[in-house]
Amino acid sequence: MLFKKSITQLVSEAHESGEHTLKRTLSSTGLVALGVGAIIGAGLFSLTGMAAADNAGPAVMLSFIIAAVGCAFAGLCYAEFASMIPVAGSAYTYSYATMGELVAWIIGWDLVLEYALASATVAVSWSQYFGELLKIFGMSIPDEFLHGPWEGGYVNIPAIIIVCLLSLLLIRGTKESSTVNNLLVILKVSVVLIFIGLGWSFINPANHTPFIPANEGEELLKSGKIGWGEFFKDGYFGNFGISGVFRAAGVLFFAFVGFDAVSTAAQEAKNPKKGMPVGIIGSLVICTILYVLFSYVMTGLANYTEFKGDAKPVATAFAKTGYHFLNTALIITIISGYTSVILVMLLGQSRVFYSMSKDGLLPALFSHLGKNQTPWKTNVIFMIFVSLFAGFVPVSDLGHMVSIGTLFAFTLVCIGILVLRKTAPDIERPFRTPLVPLIPILGVIVCVTMMASLPIQSWERLGIWLGIGMIIYFIYGKKHSKIRKQHEQGLKN
């Protein structure tokens, strides 16, 4: 369980070539676009309104900044790992090199939670906006085929179709997928900028007052009328006030899920030593700026209370501008945003399973490459798995589940940098995380704080998911581990 992959072995794998390795086709610009494509989507267009209405009010801007700071600390750690170990697998591979096989398995299984369920969640949202777009053009899909059986329908057909189409695109090749993603990124960033630009002059300052809505429990806590136990037990925590800003940050962390997906494509980057830090940090900076400006305009156009229970808060806010003729463009942009998120999430998932399979922890079919040098069997399996979730299972609560899984992964990556600086101080690092150990420690603190701010149900679901993963590891992964077999063989010789 404590068996580790050596850094030398990982670097050697990164330089392998041939028909059994992933094809290097992504430039630095392509990697930045990959990150932006994964990040801007469901979080910006759906969760912003929910977090403002339920937790933070106009201070949702601060929540975005807090979430971004946690991402920045983790992102700097990711950048060092990705430039030093440019191999597919992201946090899974990094954990294997620093904390051993068992931790690597846990983080790899955790990434399944992040990528696969995020894909399903976003596909359901994509379906709802697609239905709205059809109505604009005088067409419609019966509600029974826009919702799963637990939501009053039969099956969410559009959600299944988009997952299948994007999976087939990934099977065709990473270069083709990247080209489509770049076009989608250009489209949605353009309209996000238009929303900010046009909406700015319609902002009503009264909507930003109070900036942080009062939390009754925080006032009672300050006056000594209740204790910390009552504050948490009685449901005061997270309902506006300072605690609401942090609860919203945990919720909105879902909006940043994706920048780490850049690191899963390290083995397909043309120049990973340069491109990975640029792709990870560049996409994070661009999206943070857009998020803060977007949330400022959104909460300025409409009072945060208007977003309560609103499935399309962006459209509600934009209606205040009077530019109704742009509603169609707005919906198209949201759909394109969701499309690129699903695309990159499915890409990241297949690359994590590819790496785990190469190490023997999963069956060999997950690392089998087709004629286009893509793990097509993995793509097909997850096409079925994700589309079933998207088509039949209610996924409205999975945003929290994805957030806690991602925060857990980020925490382990930050710890990994601390471990590797001690165990392998002299290895070449094209990019070095600054201010070590301060940055990794702050990354752990911020990520754990945001995890603690999430509902208890998120922790329960994470525990169940990891429990299932541990069963699979001890039944299959441990027995078939290549590193373990090499170690046992060495002892025999």
Side-chain angles (χ1 to χ4, degrees):
M1 289 183 287
L2 295 178
F3 295 112
K4 299 179 182 179
K5 265 193 164 186
S6 70
I7 303 297
T8 303
Q9 181 181 354
L10 287 169
V11 173
S12 175
E13 289 179 10
H15 291 92
E16 289 178 355
S17 60
E19 62 180 6
H20 298 297
T21 59
L22 298 169
K23 195 173 181 180
R24 296 194 179 277
T25 59
L26 298 174
S27 64
S28 296
T29 302
L31 290 167
V32 171
L34 195 69
V36 174
I39 297 170
I40 296 180
L44 183 63
F45 299 130
S46 295
L47 295 184
T48 304
M50 182 184 73
D54 297 339
N55 307 116
V60 69
M61 288 177 279
L62 297 181
S63 303
F64 270 124
I65 293 173
I66 293 170
V69 168
C71 284
F73 292 143
L76 290 168
C77 296
Y78 263 101
E80 177 171 324
F81 269 127
S83 66
M84 182 173 58
I85 313 172
V87 180
S90 184
Y92 159 76
T93 303
Y94 310 151
S95 299
Y96 216 145
T98 56
M99 289 172 277
E101 183 177 281
L102 179 59
V103 175
W105 169 266
I106 291 172
I107 203 65
W109 188 248
D110 178 69
L111 289 172
V112 176
L113 182 72
E114 176 185 347
Y115 294 135
L117 297 187
S119 300
T121 305
V122 178
V124 172
S125 296
W126 184 97
S127 174
Q128 303 310 306
Y129 276 100
F130 182 72
E132 289 295 315
L133 182 63
L134 289 179
K135 290 179 182 178
I136 292 175
F137 293 101
M139 298 178 284
S140 65
I141 296 176
D143 284 345
E144 292 84 354
F145 299 108
L146 282 173
H147 302 280
W150 284 276
E151 299 171 311
Y154 299 135
V155 57
N156 194 327
I157 290 179
I160 292 177
I161 291 175
I162 190 60
V163 169
C164 292
L165 288 176
L166 294 178
S167 296
L168 293 174
L169 178 61
L170 287 170
I171 291 171
R172 182 169 177 80
T174 303
K175 183 176 181 180
E176 291 80 0
S177 304
S178 178
T179 300
V180 171
N181 179 68
N182 291 344
L183 294 174
L184 294 173
V185 168
I186 291 171
L187 176 61
K188 67 181 176 181
V189 170
S190 296
V191 180
V192 166
L193 291 173
I194 291 173
F195 176 87
I196 294 170
L198 293 180
W200 198 277
S201 59
F202 290 90
I203 290 175
N204 181 359
N207 289 329
H208 286 146
T209 304
F211 184 65
I212 302 179
N215 180 316
E216 181 186 357
E218 290 180 5
E219 298 300 322
L220 294 173
L221 192 63
K222 288 178 184 177
S223 64
K225 294 181 179 179
I226 63 171
W228 284 104
E230 295 169 293
F231 179 68
F232 286 99
K233 184 178 68 174
D234 295 342
Y236 291 117
F237 182 87
N239 293 312
F240 303 110
I242 299 300
S243 64
V245 173
F246 278 93
R247 168 65 64 81
V251 171
L252 291 170
F253 203 83
F254 182 88
F256 288 95
V257 170
F259 87 85
D260 60 315
V262 176
S263 64
T264 67
Q267 211 162 334
E268 292 157 276
K270 292 179 179 178
N271 184 3
K273 292 183 178 181
K274 173 187 175 184
M276 296 315 297
V278 171
I280 292 170
I281 304 301
S283 60
L284 182 58
V285 169
I286 290 171
C287 291
T288 300
I289 294 172
L290 291 176
Y291 277 13
V292 172
L293 293 175
F294 193 94
S295 60
Y296 177 77
V297 173
M298 184 174 169
T299 54
L301 290 174
N303 190 277
Y304 70 92
T305 57
E306 295 182 53
F307 302 134
K308 185 74 173 179
D310 189 353
K312 298 180 286 294
V314 178
T316 299
F318 195 70
K320 307 289 185 179
T321 66
Y323 292 107
H324 301 293
F325 65 93
L326 287 176
N327 281 345
T328 302
L330 184 66
I331 291 176
I332 292 174
T333 302
I334 293 173
I335 290 174
S336 68
Y338 286 165
T339 301
S340 60
V341 171
I342 300 168
L343 179 67
V344 179
M345 292 294 105
L346 290 173
L347 170 71
Q349 177 54 69
S350 63
R351 273 42 177 183
V352 172
F353 262 43
Y354 169 83
S355 296
M356 295 175 76
S357 176
K358 290 273 285 186
D359 294 331
L361 301 182
L362 288 171
L365 69 91
F366 288 105
S367 56
H368 179 268
L369 299 181
K371 63 179 182 180
N372 294 320
Q373 290 180 269
T374 59
W376 69 274
K377 291 183 179 179
T378 301
N379 290 131
V380 170
I381 290 171
F382 273 95
M383 177 179 72
I384 297 171
F385 176 74
V386 175
S387 63
L388 287 175
F389 263 87
F392 294 96
V393 180
V395 290
S396 56
D397 293 330
L398 291 181
H400 291 174
M401 196 172 175
V402 174
S403 289
I404 198 169
T406 307
L407 286 164
F408 182 55
F410 286 7
T411 300
L412 290 182
V413 169
C414 292
I415 294 173
I417 287 295
L418 293 172
V419 172
L420 208 58
R421 287 292 182 95
K422 291 291 185 181
T423 58
D426 300 324
I427 196 167
E428 180 187 2
R429 290 174 168 84
F431 177 87
R432 297 178 66 89
T433 303
L435 301 176
V436 173
L438 179 62
I439 293 296
I441 290 174
L442 289 175
V444 171
I445 292 173
V446 174
C447 289
V448 170
T449 299
M450 283 191 282
M451 287 177 71
S453 72
L454 289 169
I456 188 64
Q457 293 89 343
S458 301
W459 287 87
E460 293 171 350
R461 292 164 184 164
L462 178 65
I464 293 171
W465 181 259
L466 293 180
I468 294 172
M470 293 303 295
I471 293 173
I472 296 174
Y473 171 75
F474 284 107
I475 290 177
Y476 183 91
K478 184 179 178 181
K479 296 178 181 179
H480 296 83
S481 166
K482 292 182 180 179
I483 291 293
R484 185 180 295 273
K485 288 181 179 179
Q486 290 173 6
H487 179 78
E488 294 173 350
Q489 187 65 38
L491 291 177
K492 291 179 181 179
N493 295 336

